[in-house]
Amino acid sequence: MTSPTPNAEGAMAQALSPDAFSSMFQSIAGLRNLRAACAMLGCFVAGVLLAGLLVTLGRGSFTMAALAGVLAALLVFTGIHAAGVLLMDQARGLPPRTLADAVVYGLMCVPKTIALMVMMALAVIALYIVMWLLFLVCKIPGLGPVLFTFVFTACVLLAGLTMVGLLIALQMALPALWEGAGVAGALAKAFTILR
């Protein structure tokens, strides 16, 4: 058994330092941020009330129901982003924003989140096209069943790892959006952390 290198020992000591533990326990302080809770719950309640009002006014109209769903989703995402912005300000030690500023900034983060989700969906579609082409190759008579054994296993593992990795990357990219990064910058930060 080999002994850890000096760099590995330093990284281990830094990961287990008292500062790391104290910062982990300080994350619980975010639960006491009433502004963030008010921003998120306020947007959630507004989304539900607005959706209910539009559905009631539409009287069974599919268009009004679809509009109600879109507006409710917009308000829910705005609330999540507004709470995230307020928590990010608290974590960075910045003076807290007003609720109105946080909600407006949260609303501006929604298109970036949609762009992130579309880019990730395109990556998944590209992966599935590659997998489809590999399965087409597996239809070669004679060699196909042997190839299928390896291709199927690799594709299942690759699809699973890709989906989990993209979900984690999306969650890691959101704080970068709350700091003001663009879509490309948020993805770069997320993939740097994942790597």
Side-chain angles (χ1 to χ4, degrees):
M1 186 170 195
T2 61
S3 62
T5 62
N7 288 341
E9 287 176 356
M12 232 160 108
Q14 185 178 12
L16 299 175
S17 70
D19 291 338
F21 283 119
S22 70
S23 67
M24 180 182 71
F25 289 120
Q26 285 176 358
S27 66
I28 297 171
L31 297 174
R32 294 182 294 203
N33 190 325
L34 292 179
R35 284 178 185 250
C38 287
M40 187 165 61
L41 289 175
C43 287
F44 284 10
V45 169
V48 169
L49 290 176
L50 183 63
L53 180 66
L54 287 176
V55 168
T56 303
L57 290 175
R59 294 191 177 106
S61 167
F62 176 76
T63 306
M64 287 299 272
L67 179 63
V70 168
L71 287 177
L74 179 68
L75 283 170
V76 166
F77 276 119
T78 300
I80 291 170
H81 287 303
V85 165
L86 289 169
L87 291 171
M88 183 61 71
D89 286 348
Q90 178 184 350
R92 294 170 64 197
L94 299 174
R97 305 171 197 233
T98 64
L99 279 177
D101 287 344
V103 169
V104 169
Y105 193 84
L107 185 60
M108 291 189 314
C109 287
V110 172
K112 294 178 185 178
T113 305
I114 293 170
L116 272 174
M117 294 169 85
V118 167
M119 289 174 67
M120 290 181 176
L122 290 175
V124 170
I125 289 170
L127 173 70
Y128 285 145
I129 289 172
V130 169
M131 289 168 49
W132 176 69
L133 291 172
L134 288 173
F135 284 128
L136 280 180
V137 170
C138 291
K139 289 188 173 190
I140 296 173
L143 186 60
V146 176
L147 283 175
F148 182 77
T149 305
F150 298 107
V151 168
F152 180 76
T153 306
C155 286
V156 167
L157 289 173
L158 187 61
L161 288 173
T162 301
M163 294 302 291
V164 170
L166 287 177
L167 286 174
I168 293 171
L170 178 63
Q171 293 171 5
M172 290 183 178
L174 290 179
L177 291 179
W178 300 333
E179 286 181 335
V183 176
L187 276 177
K189 285 184 181 182
F191 286 122
T192 301
I193 293 169
L194 280 175
R195 194 176 60 228

